[in-house]
Each structure stands twice: as structure tokens, then as C-alpha cells.
Amino acid sequence: MAGRQEPPVPPLPLSGGFTGGGGSSAGVSSSTTAPPPSGSTLDTDRSARFMSLGVANINKLREEAAKYEKMAFKERHRASKLTTTMEKHRHRATVLREKEQAVLGRIPELESDQKEQEKMLQMGASGTASGAVAAHDQSKIHVKIRKIQQKMAGLQRRAKNLEHAAAHHLQIASQKKVLSDMHIEKAKQWEAEARAYTLMADRMQKATEPDSLAPTLGH
């Protein structure tokens, strides 16, 4: 018809998805989106986190093992001191026993001397043997016999005191031995605890090594 205008022809699309004009940025943004992280990156991050946690636990276990080792060392030190004291008391008891035997060893000689003096008195009382003891000498013999008896009584009393002292030291030594054994048993318990914590730490450390983690995380 006269006076009617035809509509404009739309422009043709360009290569590469561009349509011309200013509206071409939508196609570019959709085609250049960053790809998702690969599986190897996730495995690496997971391994790092697992190893950091494992190291913390390993350090904690080794600290516990060191604590129990220190406690065991203290118990053994106490046991050693008690053993030293025990040996001193035993040695003292041995020395006292030797002194006791030395004191008792003097008594037979005095007993023999006493018998000789008593024999002289018997000879003087009978008046038949040659060389009989006079009456005034007999009183001296009685005095000698009493002195000999007093010496023997004193030696026996001293030997008895030495025996009691030796028994006392042996009793103390026995008590120290019991206490020492108790500390040794306690030290063994702490050492067993320390070994258990050390073993757990070693196993965990082996499990957190990269060579051990790679097959597990890859699976």
C-alpha cells in the first residue's frame, strides 16, 4: 500500500555466540565459569586435617607416657633409698651378732677359772691332799669366785643386750624391705602404663604416615 513502511531486518548472529550490540556478556559469563575442585585436592585437604588431629593425639599420648615414666622413676628412687637403709640395718645387726659371739666366747675361760678355784676350796676342806689351802687363803678364793661370777653375769647381760639390738635392727631391715618391695611393684605398674601409652602413640603415628593414609583416602 502507498505510504506503508516495511519492518527493519534483524541483524545476523556473529560467530562465537555474539549477537551484536551490547548484550553479548551473558554468553561469555556462562562459558567461563570456574570448574569444581578435583578429587585429588579434596583428598589432600582431608589428609592434612587428619594428620594434624593425629599429631595432637600422638603428642598427648606421649605426654601421658612421660608422666607415668616419671612416676615410675620416683617409685624406684624411693625403693632404692629404702634398700640402702635396709642394708645398713642388716650390716649393723651382723656387727652386733659378731660382738655378741665375742662376748660369749670369754665366758668359757672364766668358767674354767671358777672350777679351778672351787677345786682348791674342796682340797682345803678335806685336809687330806698335800698342799692344802689355809683358812685365811680360802676367804680370798671365795672372793675370787664371786668376782668371776660377777664377770660372767656382766658378760651374759652384755651379750643379751647385743642380741636384742641386733634383733631390733633386723626388724627395721625387714620393714624397709617390705616398703621397698611395695614401691617396686608400684613402679612396675607405672612402667606398664607408660608402655601402653607409648604403644598407642606408635600405632597412631604409623597410621598417620602418608604411606598409610594414601590407600585409605584413595579408597
Side-chain angles (χ1 to χ4, degrees):
M1 296 178 62
R4 186 178 181 180
Q5 296 180 353
E6 296 293 333
V9 179
L12 295 176
L14 301 177
S15 61
F18 290 98
T19 58
S24 61
S25 60
V28 175
S29 61
S30 62
S31 61
T32 58
T33 302
S38 62
S40 60
T41 304
L42 292 176
D43 291 344
T44 302
D45 295 340
R46 191 182 300 114
S47 175
R49 289 194 300 271
F50 183 78
M51 289 184 67
S52 63
L53 293 174
V55 169
N57 292 331
I58 291 170
N59 292 336
K60 183 63 177 178
L61 290 173
R62 297 202 183 278
E63 288 176 1
E64 289 294 319
K67 180 184 73 174
Y68 283 112
E69 286 176 356
K70 185 177 181 180
M71 294 169 62
F73 175 79
K74 289 183 178 180
E75 294 294 336
R76 288 199 174 274
H77 181 66
R78 292 169 184 166
S80 177
K81 292 176 65 177
L82 289 169
T83 301
T84 301
T85 305
M86 176 195 69
E87 293 297 336
K88 289 182 178 179
H89 282 284
R90 284 183 176 179
H91 176 70
R92 182 60 180 167
T94 302
V95 172
L96 292 172
R97 293 287 189 185
E98 292 176 353
K99 289 183 177 181
E100 177 193 359
Q101 294 301 319
V103 170
L104 293 176
R106 296 169 57 186
I107 294 179
E109 183 180 355
L110 294 174
E111 289 178 345
S112 178
D113 192 8
Q114 180 181 349
K115 289 180 181 179
E116 289 293 332
Q117 299 296 327
E118 291 174 350
K119 184 178 180 181
M120 292 177 66
L121 284 177
Q122 292 175 0
M123 292 173 61
S126 63
T128 55
S130 58
V133 180
H136 66 279
D137 291 332
Q138 290 182 3
S139 61
K140 293 182 179 179
I141 294 175
H142 280 294
V143 172
K144 287 182 179 180
I145 291 175
R146 284 196 297 271
K147 288 183 177 179
I148 292 172
Q149 290 173 346
Q150 290 175 356
K151 286 183 179 179
M152 288 192 298
L155 291 174
Q156 290 173 349
R157 186 166 51 251
R158 185 180 177 188
K160 201 70 175 177
N161 292 336
L162 291 170
E163 180 184 0
H164 288 324
H168 177 67
H169 283 284
L170 286 177
Q171 182 181 3
I172 295 177
S174 299
Q175 294 174 354
K176 300 298 182 182
K177 179 66 167 58
V178 172
L179 292 175
S180 177
D181 292 341
M182 291 174 59
H183 284 292
I184 289 176
E185 290 299 323
K186 200 67 177 177
K188 290 180 180 179
Q189 294 179 7
W190 297 144
E191 288 169 352
E193 290 289 337
R195 286 194 298 270
Y197 278 103
T198 301
L199 181 60
M200 286 189 290
D202 292 340
R203 288 178 176 175
M204 185 172 290
Q205 183 172 2
K206 185 177 181 181
T208 55
E209 290 177 354
D211 294 340
S212 302
L213 288 173
T216 305
L217 295 176
H219 180 70

